[in-house]
Amino acid sequence: MKLTRRMTLAAFAGMLALGTAAPAYAADLIAIITPSHDNPFFKAEAVGAEAKAKELGYEALVLVHDDDANEQSELIDTAIGRGAKAIILDNAGADATVAAVQKAKDAGVPSFLIDREINATGVAVAQIVSNNYQGAQLGAQEFVKLMGEKGNFVELVGKESDTNAGIRSKGYHDVIDDYPDLKMVAQQSANWSQTEAYSKMESILQANPDIKGVISGNDTMAMGAYAALAAAGRKDVIVVGFDGSNDVRDSIASGGIKATVLQPAYAQAQMAVEQANDFIKNKKSPAEEKQLMDCVLINGDNAAKLETFALTN
């Protein structure tokens, strides 16, 4: 499904400066539904959306679906039942979410999706996602450079039901596969989980002790992989992540993980609330449902400027 609109960090940061019109009535409610806040990326989404909703005069109902589509459906029922004016959603599956968002639409509650797209258009009012393919290519280019264009490596892939996992993997391979001396010896899903990545990395390392690098579909898995490598005395293995978390920022600063790719979770969520506010007040939809935002490479050169999934001046 082709995304048709690209927004740079500068462009959407400018948009966040808008939307400061008169606040909504205090009784108006916006529901914010994300995966578990154990992952700092999803927590940043929730915090950003809640802060913007309150700034605009809304009450915020913050809920967590734990990547369970059934739980997500129940939470959307809760939002509808509470009379939410809009739903901000980082969804629990590209296919499984379509019916739930349609249910909200049929009940007169518009949905504004962030981070993950769904496999349908015309159901949500907006789908605001990072340019995962572009970001993955940035990460892969840095990985190739760090690897010296050769050596055995491992790929940790995200949850298979999440469209982003496949897009990032494709972005990685469309770069890495051009280098014949880079050989992938293992590719496993760790389902975005740090604990699972630690366990998978332990097993992979036992079977492939000569690995030189690990490229991960997100920072949480990268942290788990690096912890397993460190425990095995293999801090020499190059690890690259994706998300731009503070944990990986700190690891980069201390010489651990080498790089990541920033997707601005906090600002992205705030943009969704801005668009929801405009829709609620003015019945105005964004110019395009699908909105794509470019990612930024984070390494030792700029990691110090990274804070809560955003670059500071």
Side-chain angles (χ1 to χ4, degrees), residues 167-210:
I167 293 173
R168 291 176 193 175
S169 183
K170 177 173 172 50
Y172 288 157
H173 284 278
D174 282 353
V175 172
I176 296 171
D177 292 353
D178 285 340
Y179 295 86
D181 292 332
L182 283 169
K183 181 182 178 183
M184 184 173 70
V185 295
Q187 180 187 51
Q188 293 191 29
S189 171
N191 293 303
W192 305 130
S193 166
Q194 184 167 335
T195 302
E196 191 169 342
Y198 186 99
S199 176
K200 293 283 178 72
M201 195 69 246
E202 281 187 317
S203 298
I204 291 170
L205 188 59
Q206 288 174 3
N208 302 277
D210 60 344

Side-chain angles (χ1 to χ4, degrees), residues 1 12 20 42 52 77 99-100 120 125 147 179 215 222 272 278 294:
M1 190 178 299
F12 70 78
T20 55
F42 301 130
K52 180 57 66 174
D77 285 339
V125 175
M147 292 282 289
Y179 295 86
I215 190 160
D278 203 17
D294 280 350

Side-chain angles (χ1 to χ4, degrees), residues 2 25 32 37 62 73 94 104 115 117 128 131-132 166-167 186 242 247 275-276 288 298 300 313:
K2 187 176 181 180
Y25 294 106
I32 301 159
H37 295 179
V62 179
S73 183
D115 179 42
E117 61 182 304
I128 307 170
N131 191 339
N132 285 278
I167 293 173
F242 193 116
D247 287 341
Q275 293 187 7
E288 297 182 28
I298 303 295
N313 293 327

Side-chain angles (χ1 to χ4, degrees), residues 12 24 41 46 63 98 110-111 125 136 139 167 225 254 257 266 280 292-293 310:
F12 70 78
F41 181 86
L63 303 168
V98 176
S111 296
V125 175
I167 293 173
S254 65
I257 292 173
Y266 189 93
I280 292 165
L292 196 63
M293 303 187 303

Side-chain angles (χ1 to χ4, degrees), residues 34-47 62-67 116 191-195 218-221 223-224 243 245-247 309:
T34 71
S36 172
H37 295 179
D38 289 344
N39 185 319
F41 181 86
F42 301 130
K43 182 176 181 180
E45 289 181 332
V47 170
V62 179
L63 303 168
V64 170
H65 59 56
D66 286 323
D67 276 315
R116 302 169 176 175
N191 293 303
W192 305 130
S193 166
Q194 184 167 335
T195 302
N218 79 343
D219 280 352
T220 307
M221 295 188 298
M223 290 292 292
D243 276 342
S245 70
N246 285 359
D247 287 341
F309 301 96

Side-chain angles (χ1 to χ4, degrees), residues 75-281:
L75 295 179
I76 287 177
D77 285 339
T78 297
I80 294 169
R82 289 282 299 272
K85 299 294 184 181
I87 295 170
I88 309 300
L89 175 65
D90 191 339
N91 74 76
D95 291 314
T97 298
V98 176
V101 175
Q102 182 67 57
K103 174 173 58 177
K105 181 181 180 180
D106 292 343
V109 183
S111 296
F112 297 78
L113 275 55
I114 53 175
D115 179 42
R116 302 169 176 175
E117 61 182 304
I118 57 174
N119 290 331
T121 57
V123 182
V125 175
Q127 299 193 53
I128 307 170
V129 300
S130 298
N131 191 339
N132 285 278
Y133 183 80
Q134 171 262 348
Q137 289 197 307
L138 287 179
Q141 289 162 4
E142 184 74 357
F143 184 70
V144 168
K145 177 182 174 183
L146 290 164
M147 292 282 289
E149 302 184 5
K150 62 183 179 181
N152 292 343
F153 74 96
V154 172
E155 181 188 6
L156 293 179
V157 184
K159 185 179 285 289
E160 292 179 2
S161 63
D162 185 341
T163 304
N164 290 346
I167 293 173
R168 291 176 193 175
S169 183
K170 177 173 172 50
Y172 288 157
H173 284 278
D174 282 353
V175 172
I176 296 171
D177 292 353
D178 285 340
Y179 295 86
D181 292 332
L182 283 169
K183 181 182 178 183
M184 184 173 70
V185 295
Q187 180 187 51
Q188 293 191 29
S189 171
N191 293 303
W192 305 130
S193 166
Q194 184 167 335
T195 302
E196 191 169 342
Y198 186 99
S199 176
K200 293 283 178 72
M201 195 69 246
E202 281 187 317
S203 298
I204 291 170
L205 188 59
Q206 288 174 3
N208 302 277
D210 60 344
I211 62 169
K212 184 179 175 182
V214 177
I215 190 160
S216 171
N218 79 343
D219 280 352
T220 307
M221 295 188 298
M223 290 292 292
Y226 185 76
L229 290 163
R234 292 298 309 277
K235 291 185 177 181
D236 59 303
V237 177
I238 293 159
V239 179
V240 171
F242 193 116
D243 276 342
S245 70
N246 285 359
D247 287 341
V248 167
R249 172 202 65 192
D250 295 344
S251 182
I252 291 172
S254 65
I257 292 173
K258 300 305 180 186
T260 184
V261 176
L262 168 66
Q263 50 170 346
Y266 189 93
Q268 185 180 88
Q270 292 209 320
M271 178 187 286
V273 175
E274 292 280 5
Q275 293 187 7
N277 178 59
D278 203 17
F279 187 86
I280 292 165
K281 290 181 179 178

